Amino acid sequence: MPNKSDIAIIFKSGLQKTGKSLIAFFLTSILFQSIGFYLLFEQHYFDNSAYYWFLSIINEFFFTSILALLLIVFYFFVTKEWIFRVINIFLSLLIVFQLASLYYFMITLEPIGSTLFEFDPDQMGMIASNFVIFKWYYLLLLLPPFVYFLFLRGFRNNKLFNLIAVIFLVASVGAISFGFQIKQAGEGYRSGDLIQNKTYFLITSLLEKSNYENLSSYEKAIVRYQQLEKNKAFINQEFPFIHKRSNKNTLAPFFDLKETPPNIVFIIVESLSSSYSGKNADEISFTPFLDSLEEHSIYFENMLATGERTFSVLPNVVGSLPHGKKGFSNSNSSFPTHISLANWMFENNYEGAFYYGGYARFDHMDLYMNHEGFDPIFDRKEYNYKGKDVKTSIDPVPFGVGDRELFKNVIKYSDSMNRNRPYLDVILTLSMHYPFMIEEKEHYTSLARKIIESNNQLSQQSKEKNQKYIEPFATMLYTDDAIKAYFKERMKRESHDNTIYFIFGDHMMGDIPQDNPIEKYRVPMLVYSPLLMRAKRVRAVNSQMDLPPSIMNLIGDEYDIPLPDKVNWLGESLDTGNVLNNQRNILFMGNNRRCIDFLSGEWFIHNNELYSIENRLKLKAEENQNKLDEMSKDRGFYEKLH
C-alpha cells in the first residue's frame, strides 16, 4: 500500500502530465486552427474575421477545459506509460480531425456533424469520389501529431513548464464554470457554427440526433395542422393530408392554350439564388439571359424551396410531398401511396423523361423518379451517357456532365424519341455546385470580375466580398449561357410553341455565407412560354410544393381531363399577387435532416429565434415569447406529420 509520500508524488506527477498534455493540445490546436482560419478567410468573406478567430480560440480553451476534467481523473489512476502514449496519440489525432472539419467548412459552410452519417455507404462513396478534390493544404493534416509531440518533448524535465502545466490545468478546470462554448457571434448563423470547437460540435450534434424525438402528440398535430391549413377541405383525421381538390386555377388567366395539351418542362437550376439572379437581385445578378427572359415571364421573386439541399426539390415539384425522416426520396423504394402531378399526367396520355448530369442514384433520385413514372432517365453513367463518347469532366475528378453538354443531350435525346404525345420533362443541372468545373473557365471568370468591378451600386466592401466568390459567379454565367443555348435550339422546334417552361433553383447558393436564415430557401422562378399572353412580377410568397396543384388544374380544366376529387399534396394553387403576402405554412428541412425552420403567415422561426418577414423576405428579429412558443409548437406539429 503506497504511503503518503508516494501518493503525493503520484498526485504531483499526474497534475504535471495532464497539464503538459493539455498545453501541447491547446497550443497545437490554435496553431493549426489559425492556419485553417487563414485559408478559410482567403476563400470566404466574413465581417470581423479577426473577432471570429478570437472567439474560436476562447472556445478552443473551453474545450480543452472539458478534456482537463476527463484526463485529470484518468491520469491519477493510471500509471502504465503506454496508456499515456495512447492518450497523447488520440489527442494529436483529435487536432487532425478539427483541421479536417475546418476544410469541410470551407466547402459546405458547416462543420462535420450528424449530417455526414445520414448517407448510406453507397451515397458516401459517390460524395467522396465526385466532390473531393486534392488541395495542397490537405498535406497539413499530416503535421499536427509531429507538432504535438514536439511540444511534449520540449516540456520534458523542465521545472518551469512543470509549474506552468499545473497552473494551466487549474485554470482550464476553473474555466468550466463559464460554460462549454460561446455559441453566438454576430448576426450570421454561419458564424455561430464557425467559432465552435469542431469536436464539441460533432459530439453535441450526434447526441442531439440520438436523443432527438418529436414529443408532439400525433392527434394534436393533426388537429392543429388541419386548423392552420384553412384553404384545404380535409376529409378525415385518419389520413391527415388528404383533402378535396380545390378548383382554384390561378395560372389560367395568363395563357392562351392550344387545342392539344401543352408540354411541361421543369428546368431546375442547381443553386440558382435570388441574391444573384434577377433584375432586382439582392446583391448583383450573374444571369443576364434569365434576366432578359424575366421580361417575358411570370416571375416569382419570393419562391421558396423547402429543403436546404437538392434532396427536397423533386418530391416538391413532382408530388408536393412531405419530407419524411430524411427527405421523401430517401424512403428508397417503400414510397407510400400518393397522387402526384407526374403519375396523374402519365395516366392521362403524357410521357416524361428525367435528365441529370450526375449520378441519378444520388439521394435515390432515380428510384423516386422511376416510381413516379419517368421513363427514360438520362444520367451520367447508368443509362445513356455510358459509352456515348460524352466527356464527363474537364478535370480528373469524375464530377459529372457540364450543363452545356447536358442541355445538348437534352435536345439530342428528346429529338430521338420522336414523341407524338405531350410530355412532362424534368431537367436538373449540376455545374453550379462545388467544385465549379466548367469549360472556358478563364473567360467566365474574367467576365464575372468585370461585372463586379463595373457595378457602381456596390460598395467597396461588397466588391471585396464578391471577389471571394468568383468561381461560383463564373459558373452562374456559364450555366446561364448553357440555358440560353438550349432555348436557341428549342425555338427551332415545333414543340417549343406548345411548351410551358418552369425555371427555378433547387435551393440558394450554399457556398456563399448569408446572414438571413430564410435566404437559403429563397429561389427565383420564371414561368415562360410562347403561350403566355402577358408577363407579371409576383411578390406573393409561394413554395415549390404549389406547382403540382397549379399545373394539374391548368391542364385538367382546359382539356376536360378527369381530375381527382381528393388529393394529398401539401401545396395549393400559386398565389400570383403583386404585393408581399404569405398565406403559406412551410416546414423546412436542413441539410442535417432536422427541421428547425418554419414559416407561418408573417412569422418565421429559426431554432429558437423569432422573426417577422419584410420586403423580399428580409427578416426582422422580434421579442414575443408567446408567439415564439406558439410557433415552436406548430413547427413540432408539422414535423410530426411530415
Side-chain angles (χ1 to χ4, degrees), residues 126-172:
M126 268 190 289
I127 292 171
S129 62
N130 293 334
F131 294 92
V132 177
I133 297 175
F134 177 76
K135 304 287 187 181
W136 68 265
Y137 47 78
Y138 290 172
L139 294 173
L140 296 177
L141 292 169
L142 302 172
L143 297 182
F146 294 101
V147 175
Y148 176 84
F149 282 100
L150 278 175
F151 276 125
L152 277 185
R153 187 177 183 84
F155 300 156
R156 186 180 298 173
N157 300 322
N158 187 308
K159 292 183 179 181
L160 177 60
F161 273 112
N162 287 341
L163 177 61
I164 293 173
V166 174
I167 293 173
F168 184 84
L169 177 61
V170 172
S172 60

Side-chain angles (χ1 to χ4, degrees), residues 428-478:
L428 177 57
T429 74
L430 183 64
S431 295
M432 280 167 51
H433 191 297
Y434 180 87
F436 307 112
M437 295 177 182
I438 56 173
E439 300 97 332
E440 300 179 57
K441 192 166 188 175
E442 289 186 9
H443 165 71
Y444 288 106
T445 298
S446 175
L447 186 56
R449 291 190 191 281
K450 288 178 182 177
I451 290 173
I452 294 169
E453 289 302 324
S454 63
N455 190 302
N456 297 323
Q457 305 300 316
L458 288 179
S459 65
Q460 188 58 38
Q461 185 181 32
S462 293
K463 288 184 178 182
E464 290 175 9
K465 171 191 172 182
N466 287 317
Q467 291 288 358
K468 296 271 188 184
Y469 302 102
I470 286 296
E471 279 197 337
F473 295 150
T475 311
M476 290 180 191
L477 290 164
Y478 161 80

Side-chain angles (χ1 to χ4, degrees), residues 75 86 117 174 230 268 308 370 385 480 537 550:
Y75 271 76
V86 170
F117 303 95
K230 55 189 70 174
I268 307 173
E308 192 177 1
N370 182 264
Y385 289 160
D480 187 69
R537 173 174 288 273
S550 304

Side-chain angles (χ1 to χ4, degrees), residues 593-634:
R593 305 315 193 257
R594 291 283 303 277
C595 298
I596 63 172
D597 297 320
F598 179 62
L599 176 68
S600 182
E602 65 181 275
W603 300 98
F604 177 77
I605 184 173
H606 169 70
N607 275 325
N608 295 312
E609 301 162 4
L610 181 68
Y611 301 89
S612 58
I613 60 172
E614 297 183 329
N615 186 42
R616 293 184 66 80
L617 294 184
K618 300 300 181 185
L619 298 181
K620 178 184 177 184
E622 300 284 357
E623 295 290 336
N624 186 330
Q625 190 61 45
N626 290 336
K627 192 65 185 178
L628 177 60
D629 292 342
E630 178 188 307
M631 287 284 289
S632 297
K633 287 180 181 178
D634 288 343

Side-chain angles (χ1 to χ4, degrees), residues 280-553:
N280 294 333
D282 292 333
E283 298 202 30
I284 185 171
S285 177
F286 294 92
T287 56
F289 172 71
L290 290 180
D291 296 355
S292 67
L293 204 62
E294 186 181 319
E295 299 176 1
H296 310 283
S297 306
I298 312 172
Y299 185 82
F300 293 79
E301 71 172 37
N302 290 316
M303 173 62 67
L304 291 168
T306 69
E308 192 177 1
R309 293 291 188 268
T310 308
F311 66 84
S312 70
V313 68
L314 295 176
N316 269 356
V317 302
V318 170
S320 192
L321 293 161
H323 292 304
K325 291 184 177 180
K326 297 182 180 180
F328 191 88
S329 64
N330 280 286
S331 304
N332 296 344
S333 58
S334 56
F335 300 114
T337 302
H338 59 275
I339 294 172
S340 72
L341 173 66
N343 59 41
W344 172 78
M345 294 179 79
F346 297 151
E347 288 172 2
N348 289 282
N349 201 42
Y350 270 78
E351 57 185 316
F354 174 48
Y355 303 86
Y356 180 50
Y359 282 128
R361 77 174 191 267
F362 186 68
D363 272 329
H364 308 289
M365 292 187 289
D366 55 348
L367 289 177
Y368 171 70
M369 296 299 273
N370 182 264
H371 180 272
E372 296 300 326
F374 286 89
D375 183 29
I377 295 175
F378 299 94
D379 81 338
R380 170 180 147 182
K381 179 180 177 183
E382 288 87 347
Y383 295 87
N384 301 79
Y385 289 160
K386 187 176 182 181
K388 301 288 186 180
D389 297 323
V390 174
K391 191 176 183 181
T392 58
S393 180
I394 61 166
D395 188 274
V397 176
F399 180 58
V401 178
D403 289 347
R404 184 182 294 171
E405 195 68 46
L406 170 67
F407 281 112
K408 286 180 182 177
N409 279 277
V410 170
I411 296 289
K412 173 184 173 183
Y413 290 121
S414 183
D415 287 350
S416 70
M417 286 187 274
N418 296 316
R419 291 163 157 176
N420 53 21
R421 291 189 289 159
Y423 51 83
L424 167 66
D425 278 358
V426 177
I427 306 166
L428 177 57
T429 74
L430 183 64
S431 295
M432 280 167 51
H433 191 297
Y434 180 87
F436 307 112
M437 295 177 182
I438 56 173
E439 300 97 332
E440 300 179 57
K441 192 166 188 175
E442 289 186 9
H443 165 71
Y444 288 106
T445 298
S446 175
L447 186 56
R449 291 190 191 281
K450 288 178 182 177
I451 290 173
I452 294 169
E453 289 302 324
S454 63
N455 190 302
N456 297 323
Q457 305 300 316
L458 288 179
S459 65
Q460 188 58 38
Q461 185 181 32
S462 293
K463 288 184 178 182
E464 290 175 9
K465 171 191 172 182
N466 287 317
Q467 291 288 358
K468 296 271 188 184
Y469 302 102
I470 286 296
E471 279 197 337
F473 295 150
T475 311
M476 290 180 191
L477 290 164
Y478 161 80
T479 295
D480 187 69
D481 266 0
I483 297 172
K484 180 180 180 180
Y486 165 76
F487 274 102
K488 185 177 180 180
E489 288 300 314
R490 281 290 294 162
M491 288 176 182
K492 298 175 183 177
R493 285 150 178 82
E494 186 179 343
S495 61
H496 168 73
D497 294 332
N498 196 30
T499 300
I500 303 174
Y501 302 89
F502 292 80
I503 310 163
F504 51 90
D506 56 348
H507 53 79
M508 75 154 285
M509 175 65 75
D511 303 83
I512 304 175
Q514 298 285 342
D515 290 339
N516 181 352
I518 202 174
E519 189 67 18
K520 58 190 171 187
Y521 308 111
R522 184 165 162 259
V523 296
M525 183 174 82
L526 298 86
V527 182
Y528 166 76
S529 175
L531 303 170
L532 198 63
M533 294 187 292
R534 60 189 175 95
K536 184 176 182 179
R537 173 174 288 273
V538 175
R539 292 183 172 84
V541 177
N542 291 275
S543 88
Q544 292 171 347
M545 296 186 297
D546 299 330
L547 290 179
S550 304
I551 296 170
M552 177 183 280
N553 284 351

